[in-house]
Amino acid sequence: MKLSHFQFDLPKELLAEYPAENRDESRLMVIDRKKGTIEHKMFKDVIDYFDDGDVLILNNTKVFPARLYGNKEKTGARIEVFLLRELNSEQRLWDVLVDPARKIRIGNKLYFGDDDSLVAEVIDNTTSRGRTLRFLYDGSYEEFRNKLTELGETPIPKYISRDVTPEDAERYQTIYAKEEGAVAAPTAGLHFSKNLLKKLEIKGIKFAEVTLHVGLGTFNPVEVEDLSKHKMDSEELKITQEACDIVNEAKAKKKRICTVGTTSMRAVESSVSSHNTLNPFDGWTNKFVFPPHDFTIPTCMITNFHTPKSTLLMMVSAFCGHDLMKKAYAEAIKEGYKFYSYGDAMLII
């Protein structure tokens, strides 16, 4: 498969600016790979496709308010700082992206907050937009993290052209988010309401939680025609023995195993044993799933509608089958499904 196989025209108005009013009332397209059929449902209908003993694999990562705005010393220029990952908690070193990058050089200081209570010094360049910052703050580590949370805003994707609202802090977060560390939400999970999860639990569906801290690398454009040459950024991943036991028991009983989102899919496909079971994992993964790929753990997946040429679309193509995926996407555009982070969902069985 080549990059050009994943190009399609996506009308701008289909990019979702806001989430559905109720989480579980977004639209759901159901694709049956064996039959080649496409059905149109509401997300809450997803319960009809699962039975007692089936498993949903959920990514319980939690998004932190990663986008800050500061002012450059002397000039006062407004600079956006996007926190990517903490490098050293004692020295308060962080990997960040800055915008506009051309103005930010090693040695520059940035001031945050109306009272300049948080200061950062640029100590290294990492990429064209990447910098390493050392934060200077007069207080304990806990107080420093609280200050970052206070000054930061929800990192909704750049394609959303509106300002961040207080509602985004709740809606750009799954209701089962626990482990803080993501700079983007695992968006397929945004469709689950407390009510729907409870109904699934009552029906006997089990939940296996994994933690994959989503980084911006997920959204990095693929710039090589030969997909095998694309390098994914590494993301932190943890799979517990408890999650493995739930999944492997379901696999042994030939139950349906569904990954909720491309991040859950990448998590489990990163840690498959030689016996085709799920292994515990604690580290980093740069797994890139693209066609052709043999999936060993999941029998179905829930995912959103993705943008052209994205690595997420390539994973969906690998799981769904490329021709059926293209047919489904053409149908989604015709039927006005909403795309991307706050968009509608797809269940591939």
Side-chain angles (χ1 to χ4, degrees):
M1 301 294 293
K2 304 286 186 195
L3 177 62
S4 47
H5 291 139
F6 297 92
Q7 174 56 24
F8 63 93
D9 291 327
L10 178 59
K12 198 167 185 299
E13 64 271 16
L14 294 185
L15 287 173
E17 290 272 322
Y18 292 92
E21 191 174 340
N22 297 310
R23 284 180 185 267
D24 58 14
E25 290 183 349
S26 52
R27 295 167 74 188
L28 177 71
M29 179 185 279
V30 182
I31 299 169
D32 188 314
R33 292 178 291 170
K34 274 190 185 150
K35 296 178 186 168
T37 55
I38 295 172
E39 294 180 284
H40 304 288
K41 303 281 187 176
M42 297 285 282
F43 191 80
K44 56 190 175 188
D45 298 328
V46 82
I47 193 167
D48 298 336
Y49 295 88
F50 296 97
D51 289 313
D52 186 24
D54 290 343
V55 171
L56 292 178
I57 300 175
L58 310 175
N59 182 5
N60 67 11
T61 188
K62 189 174 184 180
V63 179
F64 66 95
R67 191 173 277 130
L68 305 170
Y69 291 95
N71 297 99
K72 190 180 169 189
E73 63 178 334
K74 296 178 185 162
T75 67
R78 189 173 191 250
I79 305 294
E80 178 190 309
V81 173
F82 196 100
L83 302 172
L84 290 178
R85 61 176 70 99
E86 187 175 49
L87 299 173
N88 185 308
S89 56
E90 279 178 37
Q91 295 182 38
R92 296 176 189 175
L93 295 182
W94 281 76
D95 247 348
V96 306
L97 296 177
V98 292
D99 191 21
R102 66 184 185 281
K103 295 184 174 180
I104 303 302
R105 297 190 172 90
I106 293 171
N108 287 161
K109 282 198 170 74
L110 299 169
Y111 293 84
F112 302 90
D114 295 337
D115 55 356
D116 295 343
S117 55
L118 181 65
V119 183
E121 182 180 4
V122 182
I123 62 168
D124 199 7
N125 297 326
T126 52
T127 62
S128 58
R129 286 181 56 217
R131 302 289 184 272
T132 303
L133 296 188
R134 176 184 284 118
F135 283 97
L136 313 169
Y137 182 72
D138 196 15
S140 67
Y141 178 72
E142 190 180 352
E143 289 167 330
F144 162 64
R145 288 303 298 248
N146 289 340
K147 177 58 75 172
L148 285 184
T149 300
E150 175 198 321
L151 294 173
E153 72 178 29
T154 305
I156 60 173
K158 282 283 195 184
Y159 81 86
I160 295 177
S161 54
R162 60 175 174 81
D163 290 337
V164 175
T165 66
E167 181 195 35
D168 288 313
E170 183 215 344
R171 292 302 302 274
Y172 195 62
Q173 195 84 270
T174 64
I175 59 164
Y176 47 78
K178 290 189 187 114
E179 305 292 335
E180 190 171 86
V183 299
T187 53
L190 299 180
H191 303 286
F192 286 91
S193 62
K194 284 183 179 162
N195 186 30
L196 179 58
L197 277 185
K198 196 72 199 164
K199 283 181 174 173
L200 286 160
E201 193 182 334
I202 290 166
K203 198 174 177 183
I205 285 91
K206 295 180 178 172
F207 306 109
E209 294 188 9
V210 298
T211 307
L212 181 83
H213 290 318
V214 191
L216 283 186
T218 294
F219 309 112
N220 278 353
V222 179
E223 292 172 337
V224 286
E225 182 66 8
D226 179 353
L227 300 186
S228 64
K229 302 269 195 306
H230 177 68
K231 296 283 185 287
M232 290 287 282
D233 282 6
S234 290
E235 294 172 325
E236 197 172 355
L237 169 61
K238 185 163 190 179
I239 302 174
T240 63
Q241 184 64 56
E242 182 189 4
C244 294
D245 292 344
I246 293 168
V247 169
N248 293 334
E249 183 189 358
K251 194 170 192 299
K253 291 179 177 175
K254 295 190 163 39
K255 296 290 185 182
R256 186 165 268 180
I257 299 170
C258 183
T259 50
V260 177
T262 56
T263 61
S264 297
M265 181 69 87
R266 186 152 75 258
V268 297
E269 288 299 302
S270 295
S271 193
V272 178
S273 76
S274 56
H275 302 293
N276 289 340
T277 55
L278 186 61
N279 271 351
F281 191 99
D282 191 351
W284 294 76
T285 178
N286 62 353
K287 182 83 173 171
F288 176 29
V289 179
F290 62 96
H293 181 84
D294 290 328
F295 292 85
T296 43
I297 303 295
T299 61
C300 60
M301 82 180 288
I302 293 169
T303 187
N304 279 20
F305 289 92
H306 306 295
T307 47
K309 294 185 174 179
S310 61
T311 58
L312 312 175
L313 181 64
M314 291 161 192
M315 180 188 288
V316 172
S317 164
F319 190 76
C320 182
H322 192 70
D323 290 342
L324 186 54
M325 182 274 291
K326 280 179 71 176
K327 181 182 164 189
Y329 267 61
E331 178 104 349
I333 290 168
K334 181 164 88 64
E335 295 292 331
Y337 276 73
K338 292 291 189 182
F339 277 64
Y340 218 39
S341 301
Y342 274 151
D344 294 313
M346 169 189 279
L347 168 64
I348 306 168
I349 57 176

